[in-house]
Amino acid sequence: MYSPLETQKESLVKKYIRILLVVSAYWIISITTVFVNKELFDGKHVKLNATLFVTWFQCIVSSTICVVTTFLSHKFPRVVPLNMPQAHPFKAETIKNVIPLSILFTTMIATNNLCLRYVSVAFYYVGRSLTTIFNVLLSYIFLRERQSAKSIICCIVIIAGFLLGVDQESLTETFSLIGTIFGVIGSLALSMFSIYTKKTLPHVNGEVWLLSYYNNVYSIFLFLPLIVISGEVNTVMNYEHIGEMWFWGTMLIGGICGFLIGYATSLQIKVTSPLTHNISGTAKACFQTVLATSWFNEAKSFLWWLSNIVVLLGSFAYARVKQVEMAMRHRETSSIQKH
């Protein structure tokens, strides 16, 4: 017989093992997705100059996986015990409530992928590092949330690291101004998407996966005019490998990765916390940068590396400051409730 203390220790060990496995899965899936997408957008083997088309196809794959999973979960609940909610993406009320968020979702993934197409994988994190800054600005504009002096200092550090990174990257052959601009727009879109997600979730009964499914379905239609306007239709029609199985296999892998990263992100937040997820994402970005420079044999200057370190330290510091502030608010609220 196990004592209560031993049982508690065993439970904690299982909990930490689960967290370790989920975080590891998130790292592996996220890094794999970035490298696979880089090959699809700007690779030496695929050579398809149609980023929006590839992103559109990934939305189709994600939507299809959601539909199949929902069907299986209801048809074979013992085999697929996910209890997926029924979706009604073409109801007028659903479209009205979700389409503004889906427009932001389409903008976010399009600009993020266009950023990845034009910049190197190593610079990708720095190019999109202003998300925290936009979160702070938009939270103040829309929610009137004021930031502490420590939080503002952390934001200044992140901005300094970003500017230094852009300056140093501009000295390399891989620098792309348009890619950096897409990264900034992607950071802004991600921040706005996060805020509007909170407003939209009540319309889908708080079901994150149902909202994700709707976003992917609506993005399929939202991407179509963008693909036509950008001229990617002719690019795809004249692509030399359009009928080859290896190409569609690679596209399918990219689509599956796109679906899995959404699942892994939600799962990591569920077993840890949003703050821990941000810290994990920042640490992952650091490892991804080191891995990319090694994989692509890129030699970087001391100041280039310093810019990455500054951005990472600023991001870590901001996460820690918010963690402490949230703990203080919780203690104050608990103290008020007791009295």
Side-chain angles (χ1 to χ4, degrees):
M1 295 289 292
Y2 290 105
S3 66
L5 183 59
E6 290 175 329
T7 302
Q8 187 178 11
K9 286 182 178 179
E10 185 178 348
S11 177
L12 282 173
V13 169
K14 289 182 178 179
K15 177 184 176 182
Y16 288 128
I17 290 176
R18 185 189 180 199
I19 290 174
L20 177 63
L21 291 174
V22 170
V23 172
S24 299
Y26 168 78
W27 278 43
I28 293 170
I29 294 169
S30 180
I31 293 173
T32 301
T33 301
V34 170
F35 277 85
V36 169
N37 280 343
K38 183 62 176 177
E39 175 60 33
L40 285 168
F41 302 149
D42 188 40
K44 296 180 179 178
H45 299 94
V46 176
K47 296 179 181 178
L48 175 62
N49 186 19
T51 304
L52 297 177
F53 169 78
V54 174
T55 310
W56 172 75
F57 182 83
Q58 291 179 351
C59 289
I60 293 177
V61 173
S62 295
S63 300
T64 303
I65 292 175
C66 286
V67 170
V68 173
T69 304
T70 301
F71 172 79
L72 293 176
S73 69
H74 288 95
K75 194 74 174 178
F76 308 102
R78 293 184 178 180
V79 180
V80 189
L82 295 177
N83 194 27
M84 300 287 285
Q86 287 286 358
H88 304 283
F90 300 111
K91 285 181 61 176
E93 185 179 358
T94 303
I95 295 173
K96 177 184 175 182
N97 292 328
V98 180
I99 199 67
L101 182 69
S102 297
I103 293 172
L104 286 174
F105 176 78
T106 303
T107 304
M108 177 184 70
I109 59 176
T111 51
N112 283 341
N113 287 344
L114 285 167
C115 172
L116 182 58
R117 171 190 168 186
Y118 288 107
V119 306
S120 66
V121 175
F123 184 68
Y124 182 56
Y125 171 68
V126 173
R128 295 172 59 252
S129 61
L130 296 182
T131 302
T132 299
I133 311 302
F134 286 123
N135 279 339
V136 170
L137 291 174
L138 293 176
S139 294
Y140 176 75
I141 293 171
F142 292 107
L143 307 175
R144 292 300 172 187
E145 292 183 2
R146 294 183 177 276
Q147 298 293 321
S148 64
K150 291 181 179 179
S151 297
I152 293 173
I153 291 173
C154 293
C155 290
I156 293 173
V157 171
I158 294 172
I159 293 172
F162 169 79
L163 294 175
L164 178 61
V166 172
D167 176 69
Q168 291 302 301
E169 185 71 9
S170 66
L171 303 176
T172 68
E173 296 179 357
T174 57
F175 176 71
S176 169
L177 178 59
I178 186 66
T180 304
I181 292 173
F182 276 129
V184 173
I185 297 173
S187 298
L188 175 59
L190 176 57
S191 298
M192 294 185 68
F193 177 78
S194 300
I195 291 175
Y196 273 87
T197 295
K198 294 179 182 179
K199 293 184 177 182
T200 309
L201 271 172
H203 295 295
V204 293
N205 298 320
E207 295 285 354
V208 176
W209 276 113
L210 187 59
L211 187 59
S212 176
Y213 169 64
Y214 287 152
N215 282 330
N216 277 284
V217 169
Y218 298 151
S219 290
I220 292 173
F221 297 97
L222 291 171
F223 266 116
L224 289 176
L226 298 177
I227 293 172
V228 173
I229 293 170
S230 65
E232 289 189 2
V233 174
N234 290 331
T235 302
V236 174
M237 294 300 292
N238 295 319
Y239 181 55
E240 58 182 335
H241 303 299
I242 193 67
E244 298 184 23
M245 290 298 295
W246 69 265
F247 166 70
W248 291 108
T250 307
M251 290 277 285
L252 183 61
I253 292 172
I256 293 173
C257 284
F259 172 80
L260 289 177
I261 189 58
Y263 181 79
T265 298
S266 299
L267 189 60
Q268 180 171 247
I269 293 173
K270 182 178 180 180
V271 301
T272 57
S273 68
L275 189 61
T276 304
H277 166 68
N278 290 336
I279 294 172
S280 172
T282 303
K284 185 273 304 182
C286 178
F287 177 75
Q288 178 178 290
T289 299
V290 174
L291 181 64
T293 54
S294 175
W295 183 270
F296 295 107
N297 296 316
E298 297 178 2
K300 301 296 184 180
S301 67
F302 169 77
L303 289 177
W304 188 94
W305 283 108
L306 180 62
S307 70
N308 280 264
I309 294 171
V310 170
V311 169
L312 289 166
L313 290 178
S315 300
F316 274 125
Y318 179 83
R320 177 58 182 166
V321 167
K322 300 305 290 185
Q323 184 181 40
V324 172
E325 290 177 353
M326 288 171 62
M328 288 180 62
R329 289 196 198 100
H330 179 72
R331 285 196 297 268
E332 290 173 358
T333 303
S334 300
S335 177
I336 293 172
Q337 289 175 346
K338 286 179 181 179
H339 293 85

